[in-house]
Amino acid sequence: MLQKTTKLLVTTALIAGLATVANAAEKVKWTLATTWGSTLNPFIDSPTNMAKLVEEMSDGRFKIRIDAANKHKSPLGILDMVKGGQYDMGHSASYYWKGKDIETLPFTTMPFGLTAPEQYAWFYYGGGLELMQKAYKKHGVLSFPGGNTGNQMGGWFRKEINSLDDLKGLKMRIPGFAGEVLAKLGLTVTNIAPGELYTSLERGTIDALEWVGPGMDVSMGFHKIAPYYYTGWHEPATELQFMVNEKSYEKLPKDLQQILLTAMRVSAYDMYIQNYHMSSEAWSTMLTEFPNIKVKTFPKPVMDAMKKANDELLTELKAQSPLLKETLESQEAYQKKSRKWTEMSDYLYLKDNL
């Protein structure tokens, strides 16, 4: 009896060992859809670098194919494609889904909100990541930071903005909550996929647009049509996102799950660094190479009106859902706490040394 039991145990252990080896050798192939075209750096670089890291760290066991917008032809359909399982992953921006689910709005950035370092701290140490998972749970999707642009410029305008009257009636491409703010001030607001921005501006479909910052904007040629370039207020910490189909994630072995999480976090922060470098380089030569660009700051009465409209709309927004209220108040509390250190560590240093 003991001999039979021993044989059974040995056989069971052998089968378990073979299963472990089989699992370790199993090849996993995923697909990822992006909102961005294949040449839109550094946005496309974040998922591309993530996929490279995943393949390298898994020793080739886990490969992710990147499908840019020019392949799948649905740049603003990423959430639906990941949710439906057409793709295992997506790379986009959370505020694009506000029309489908308003609870996803705050996880990109909010006007007059957190800076990039503050927001990263909120995501990873201030409860932000947990709130984001709550918002996406109903979609069967996990969402993670996917790369930050830092403070974005306020946009390209055909004419100078000297007062609120100059804004009224303009047609402007601007996504997220900032679009709601400007609509309240009399603008006609729209969201247009990245690949259609220049053509829309050139053809007069829109009068103004915001994109990112000099590192990405100047190469798009917006200054040829709309030379007034305004400083930012609306997107102080624009965080892109990685979306992961929850069922696909749960099927991964634990080690590949950890590799994926690590690769997403590394590539997201690397995009922030890359974009900062690109904008620094572009700004240093922009005004010399393109002297027609007129850098402006919105007049104080215009900024005051934007802040007032923003505050009023935030009050209305918080009433739309308990989770939305919780998320916005979490951001506000973290901003109040962290801004004191931001002022001490960054603002006063710059103020005293510029």
Side-chain angles (χ1 to χ4, degrees):
M1 181 68 179
L2 179 60
Q3 188 177 15
K4 288 183 179 179
T5 302
T6 303
K7 286 182 178 179
L8 179 60
L9 289 172
V10 170
T11 302
T12 302
L14 180 60
I15 292 171
L18 290 172
T20 300
V21 172
N23 286 336
E26 182 182 354
K27 304 290 186 181
V28 177
K29 293 183 179 181
W30 275 17
T31 54
L32 180 154
T34 77
T35 290
W36 334 113
S38 57
T39 60
L40 191 62
N41 311 101
F43 285 10
I44 194 67
D45 296 327
S46 180
T48 301
N49 291 337
M50 180 276 299
K52 288 179 181 176
L53 283 171
V54 163
E55 184 171 356
E56 290 171 1
M57 289 192 292
S58 69
D59 196 24
R61 289 169 53 211
F62 189 3
K63 296 183 179 182
I64 302 173
R65 188 188 79 216
I66 308 298
D67 284 357
N70 45 298
K71 181 173 182 178
H72 61 71
K73 309 297 184 184
S74 185
L76 298 180
I78 308 300
L79 173 59
D80 288 339
M81 291 193 290
V82 175
K83 178 179 179 177
Q86 184 177 346
Y87 282 88
D88 300 288
M89 292 187 69
H91 191 259
S92 191
S94 192
Y95 62 12
Y96 288 156
W97 325 128
K98 71 182 180 73
K100 296 178 180 291
D101 183 353
I102 195 64
E103 291 179 344
T104 65
L105 170 66
F107 299 106
T108 303
T109 188
M110 292 297 286
F112 308 108
L114 295 160
T115 65
E118 291 169 348
Q119 188 163 281
Y120 270 131
W122 174 72
F123 269 125
Y124 286 108
Y125 295 97
L129 195 57
E130 291 78 9
L131 288 167
M132 184 157 62
Q133 304 316 324
K134 283 185 183 180
Y136 279 89
K137 180 70 176 176
K138 69 177 82 69
H139 299 288
V141 169
L142 302 170
S143 182
F144 302 92
N148 203 290
T149 68
N151 195 5
Q152 293 196 7
M153 291 291 284
W156 298 90
F157 292 77
R158 292 176 182 270
K159 65 178 185 178
E160 188 173 0
I161 305 301
N162 293 308
S163 68
L164 278 174
D165 288 338
D166 292 328
L167 284 176
K168 290 177 181 177
L170 291 183
K171 294 175 292 183
M172 183 173 184
R173 181 270 180 191
I174 183 167
F177 196 63
E180 305 290 331
V181 172
L182 291 184
K184 189 176 177 68
L185 296 179
L187 283 79
T188 299
V189 172
T190 186
N191 189 20
I192 299 171
E196 302 169 17
L197 293 177
Y198 183 86
T199 302
S200 297
L201 189 64
E202 183 183 39
R203 293 178 179 175
T205 306
I206 52 176
D207 303 304
L209 63 80
E210 66 78 43
W211 183 220
V212 181
M216 295 183 69
D217 289 12
V218 173
S219 62
M220 299 279 272
F222 302 137
H223 59 281
K224 299 173 185 177
I225 306 165
Y228 292 95
Y229 198 24
Y230 278 83
T231 56
W233 60 277
H234 65 304
E235 294 192 30
T238 308
E239 187 67 44
L240 306 184
Q241 68 174 154
F242 285 111
M243 287 178 285
V244 183
N245 180 282
E246 191 171 10
K247 290 180 180 178
S248 295
Y249 180 79
E250 288 173 351
K251 291 177 184 177
L252 289 176
K254 294 296 183 184
D255 66 323
L256 294 188
Q257 288 181 353
Q258 191 58 50
I259 284 172
L260 178 64
L261 293 173
T262 301
M264 287 190 294
R265 188 163 176 173
V266 170
S267 60
Y269 193 73
D270 189 67
M271 196 208 91
Y272 173 48
I273 301 167
Q274 183 184 359
N275 189 71
Y276 197 95
H277 170 71
M278 287 171 59
S279 286
S280 298
E281 291 281 307
W283 195 269
S284 68
T285 59
M286 184 179 71
L287 298 183
T288 301
E289 294 183 7
F290 307 104
N292 64 309
I293 296 176
K294 301 172 178 62
V295 178
K296 299 284 182 179
T297 297
F298 290 109
K300 189 175 185 304
V302 173
M303 290 295 291
D304 289 344
M306 289 174 177
K307 288 178 182 177
K308 183 174 182 293
N310 184 69
D311 291 343
E312 291 171 354
L313 288 169
L314 275 176
T315 300
E316 297 174 13
L317 192 61
K318 290 175 185 177
Q320 293 193 33
S321 93
L323 179 57
L324 192 55
K325 183 175 186 290
E326 182 184 5
T327 301
L328 291 167
E329 290 183 347
S330 174
Q331 288 182 334
E332 289 166 358
Y334 201 86
Q335 180 172 330
K336 184 177 180 181
K337 176 173 61 177
S338 62
R339 190 56 55 87
K340 294 176 182 178
W341 174 241
T342 301
E343 180 182 2
M344 290 297 295
S345 63
D346 293 334
Y347 173 74
L348 292 178
Y349 167 75
L350 294 171
K351 179 175 175 289
D352 292 338
N353 290 281
L354 285 177

